[in-house]
Amino acid sequence: MMVPAALLLLGALTAVVAPRLLARADWPDREPVVALWVWQCVVAAVLLCCALSMTLSAAAAWQAVRGHVFAPAPRAVVDAYALGTAGSWAAATALALAGAGLWSGAMLVREVLRARARRRRRRAELLVRSPLLPGEEPVGGRLVVLEGERPDAWWLPGAAPQLVVTTAALRRLKGRQLDAVLAHEQGHATARHDWLLHCSGALAGGFPQVPVFAAFRDEMHRLVELAADDMASRRFGRLTTALALVELNEDRGVFGPGPAAQAHVPQRVHRLLSPPDRLTAMRRLRLTAAAALVPVIPVLVTLVPGLRALG
């Protein structure tokens, strides 16, 4: 009954080694979309290790679970896992991992509900600041202009997504810079970056002591912005996108010497003005394929005893 322990060890090893390798690599900033995929595969592998270990531990602890998990399997396969030799730790492990899974689900629900509450508040504020005039019919326009002295623009997702821009931003954004901002925000919506942020926030909030989940959340926030910058720059140019970022954030102190809440903005501007060389298509394909194999490893570890018995 070593497979559940091996899966937990594999999950811990993946959670420790993979973030360090990604932090040392120089390609995530050059290929943020590939980096997003790699991070998702790493976290999926860690979660899969825990789920499979929970399943086998529960099968070892309770005959009813074992009957469902190994119902179609030959007797030799069941014997290969040595489920009858497990001690009392099997039940404790299964319960602990099941509780962690339920807690993760609860944290994800909380993240989604909080995001929806924020959207409702913003839409309510939007109605207050931009009310309909008497006799005016609501229209489903994707662009809403608000009177405001601070240059700002944000995407309001939902059933009828809208880009909200203040009049100060319109005065600052020149030429196609507004189009670049719109393309940036639409890039977030098209790629469903909000769900990546929900999932990473749920894991990091539910398990703050686990470094891989905190790193996952931080990298998701950073990489989705780089990916959206690339989407905008491919349509309207890197200089236009960089200037739009500067115009929207110049008055927020992010380009000063002191720390700022959005300290990543100068790095994004520098990346747009001095773009790093992209990886070749073949290397991007190799990285994507290698990352896709990472969640397969826990499945193979789980199936090894059964495959040996059948062989």
Side-chain angles (χ1 to χ4, degrees), residues 11 26 67 71 77 82 119 123 133 143 146 175 180 218 236 247 252:
D26 63 346
V77 172
R119 287 201 299 267
R123 289 192 182 277
L133 298 176
L143 180 63
L146 288 181
D218 296 341
F236 301 102
E247 294 294 345
R252 301 182 184 184

Side-chain angles (χ1 to χ4, degrees), residues 58-70:
W62 299 291
Q63 182 65 40
V65 177
R66 188 184 314 172
H68 287 289
V69 174
F70 292 93

Side-chain angles (χ1 to χ4, degrees), residues 149-154 165-166 168-173 177 180-181 184-185 188 225 229 240-270 272:
E149 296 299 324
R150 180 177 180 180
D152 203 357
W154 66 90
V165 183
T166 63
L170 290 179
R171 287 193 294 268
R172 281 179 174 264
L173 296 175
Q177 293 174 9
V181 172
H184 175 99
E185 299 299 339
H188 285 312
E225 295 299 334
D229 286 343
T240 300
T241 307
L243 290 175
L245 273 174
V246 172
E247 294 294 345
L248 288 178
N249 295 279
E250 188 176 11
D251 294 339
R252 301 182 184 184
V254 298
F255 298 102
Q262 294 182 334
H264 63 281
V265 174
Q267 300 171 4
R268 290 166 55 194
V269 173
H270 181 268
L272 287 167

Side-chain angles (χ1 to χ4, degrees), residues 13-38:
L13 186 64
T14 304
V16 171
V17 174
R20 294 184 179 181
L21 292 177
L22 288 171
R24 293 176 183 176
D26 63 346
W27 59 264
D29 284 1
R30 299 157 65 184
E31 298 293 343
V33 175
V34 178
L36 286 169
W37 169 250
V38 172

Side-chain angles (χ1 to χ4, degrees), residues 91-252:
T93 302
L95 290 174
L97 292 174
L102 292 174
W103 180 248
S104 301
M107 291 298 101
L108 179 58
V109 171
R110 187 186 69 170
E111 285 290 326
V112 173
L113 292 178
R114 285 182 173 180
R116 289 181 176 178
R118 287 193 296 268
R119 287 201 299 267
R120 285 196 297 269
R121 285 197 301 269
R122 283 200 161 186
R123 289 192 182 277
E125 294 173 1
L126 191 61
L127 289 176
V128 172
R129 296 179 61 184
S130 180
L132 295 176
L133 298 176
E136 182 181 1
E137 294 293 334
V139 294
R142 299 176 69 89
L143 180 63
V144 178
V145 179
L146 288 181
E147 187 72 30
E149 296 299 324
R150 180 177 180 180
D152 203 357
W154 66 90
W155 185 259
L156 195 59
Q162 294 174 312
L163 176 66
V164 184
V165 183
T166 63
T167 53
L170 290 179
R171 287 193 294 268
R172 281 179 174 264
L173 296 175
K174 306 295 190 300
R176 306 185 75 186
Q177 293 174 9
L178 178 61
D179 295 328
V181 172
L182 179 59
H184 175 99
E185 299 299 339
Q186 285 179 334
H188 285 312
T190 302
R192 300 307 303 268
H193 287 160
D194 54 335
W195 277 103
L196 281 178
L197 300 181
H198 292 335
C199 294
S200 61
L203 290 172
F207 304 95
Q209 298 84 7
V210 182
V212 65
F213 294 150
F216 180 48
R217 175 197 57 199
D218 296 341
E219 284 299 288
M220 289 302 98
H221 280 274
R222 188 178 72 89
L223 291 172
V224 297
E225 295 299 334
L226 298 185
D229 286 343
D230 288 347
M231 294 179 190
S233 64
R234 279 194 291 268
R235 294 180 58 186
F236 301 102
R238 290 184 173 273
L239 179 60
T240 300
T241 307
L243 290 175
L245 273 174
V246 172
E247 294 294 345
L248 288 178
N249 295 279
E250 188 176 11
D251 294 339
R252 301 182 184 184

